Amino acid sequence: MVAMTGCSSASTGGSATTGQQNTAAACGAIPKLKTTGTADLSSLPKDIQAEYAGYFTAVNKSQYTTFASKKKSGFTIGYSDSFSANSWRGDVLGQLKTSVAQLKSSGQVANLIATNSNLDNNLQIQQITSMINQKVDAIIAIPGSPTAFDGVIKQAFNAGIPFITLASHVNSPYAINIDENYFGVGVDVAAGLANLIGHKGSVVVVDGINGSPASKALHDGYTAGFANCPKITVAGSVEGQWSEAVTKTAMLQYLATNPGQIDGI
């Protein structure tokens, strides 16, 4: 039997090192984690504070606390995606188009400019620069890197254009990151799998898109989750791109060249 588990929106359940364990835990238990950054989270409800436990980048005070748009309606929204070859990305764009159509009818939104770079960071930066030059009112992006976009994000900020990331954080202080605590989710998933396979055995990690911020944070979470499991070996990893078809092909290729025992994925 091979045990399988995957990402979910489950709470980390910790108390709050960014990408590091704060308190040692037994194999299969979720370690206590800490959060770094300048943001004051004390005013948030306790259950919301817990969701920041182990957050994979510093949680800082927003540069947009005093921001106010000069417009009240007729907004043009830029949407910059970095990949298109999985169903989730298609669903996001489809839902965005539906929302824009509804907001157009009320006059709140005038236009949507959508682009896709297909994992080419330089092309995505050019596309975002074009949006800034077209004077969009806000940019929603799924960046392909946490650091490569610092310059163009600052350019948007200086132009008075909020830059909002979706499910793919950046380190720039001039962006608003909206996403899951992927490191915490990775810890949860690894702990759950460890319990399923009896705290021993060989596992294979299926990553998302290599190099993407979310995929790296999840992978780091898996590593942290297995850190207290000396009898569990991570035999290898494959790139699944969050696509069932790609994952199936990658795993079949892995199993064909690595015929050893696999206890969990």
Side-chain angles (χ1 to χ4, degrees), residues 38-63:
T38 60
D40 181 7
L41 305 179
S42 61
S43 63
L44 298 176
K46 294 295 183 183
D47 58 334
I48 301 300
Q49 290 184 44
E51 294 297 331
Y52 286 92
Y55 197 75
F56 44 90
T57 189
V59 181
N60 294 319
K61 184 177 179 180
S62 175
Q63 296 287 330

Side-chain angles (χ1 to χ4, degrees), residues 115-202:
T115 61
N116 194 296
S117 65
N118 286 317
L119 303 181
D120 185 333
N121 287 340
N122 289 329
L123 175 58
Q124 191 173 14
I125 290 170
Q126 292 172 14
Q127 291 168 338
I128 293 170
T129 300
S130 176
M131 292 178 186
I132 295 171
N133 291 337
Q134 293 178 71
K135 302 185 186 304
V136 299
D137 297 293
I139 296 172
I140 302 170
I142 305 181
S145 163
T147 56
F149 297 82
D150 288 359
V152 76
I153 293 171
K154 182 61 163 32
Q155 184 181 347
F157 178 82
N158 289 342
I161 302 171
F163 191 95
I164 305 156
T165 71
L166 171 65
S168 189
H169 78 283
V170 292
N171 294 340
S172 170
Y174 302 103
I176 301 169
N177 293 312
I178 300 177
D179 54 20
E180 178 63 79
N181 182 347
Y182 297 110
F183 179 85
V185 170
V187 171
D188 283 1
V189 169
L193 183 57
N195 289 327
L196 282 174
I197 64 176
H199 308 142
K200 61 182 179 180
S202 179

Side-chain angles (χ1 to χ4, degrees), residues 194 197-203 229-235 261-264:
I197 64 176
H199 308 142
K200 61 182 179 180
S202 179
V203 304
C229 300
K231 294 183 180 181
I232 292 180
T233 300
V234 178
Q261 172 72 24
I262 297 298
D263 301 288

Side-chain angles (χ1 to χ4, degrees), residues 7 12 14 23 36 57 59 68 86 108 110 123 131 135-136 154 156 166 182 192-193 222 225 228 241 249 254 260:
C7 302
T12 60
T23 304
T36 64
T57 189
V59 181
N86 65 43
Q108 290 178 276
L123 175 58
M131 292 178 186
K135 302 185 186 304
V136 299
K154 182 61 163 32
L166 171 65
Y182 297 110
L193 183 57
Y222 302 147
N228 294 314
Q241 297 186 346
T249 299
Y254 179 89

Side-chain angles (χ1 to χ4, degrees), residues 48-105:
I48 301 300
Q49 290 184 44
E51 294 297 331
Y52 286 92
Y55 197 75
F56 44 90
T57 189
V59 181
N60 294 319
K61 184 177 179 180
S62 175
Q63 296 287 330
Y64 291 90
T65 53
T66 60
F67 174 82
S69 174
K70 296 179 181 179
K71 297 171 64 174
K72 299 298 182 182
S73 61
F75 297 106
T76 294
I77 307 300
Y79 175 62
S80 170
D81 198 357
S82 56
F83 188 66
S84 61
N86 65 43
S87 59
W88 182 82
R89 298 289 182 110
D91 289 344
V92 169
L93 179 57
Q95 185 173 351
L96 181 59
K97 287 180 176 180
T98 298
S99 297
V100 166
Q102 295 170 346
L103 292 169
K104 274 186 175 181
S105 64

Side-chain angles (χ1 to χ4, degrees), residues 211-235:
S212 74
S215 185
K216 182 182 184 304
L218 281 165
H219 190 100
D220 290 347
Y222 302 147
T223 300
F226 290 131
N228 294 314
C229 300
K231 294 183 180 181
I232 292 180
T233 300
V234 178

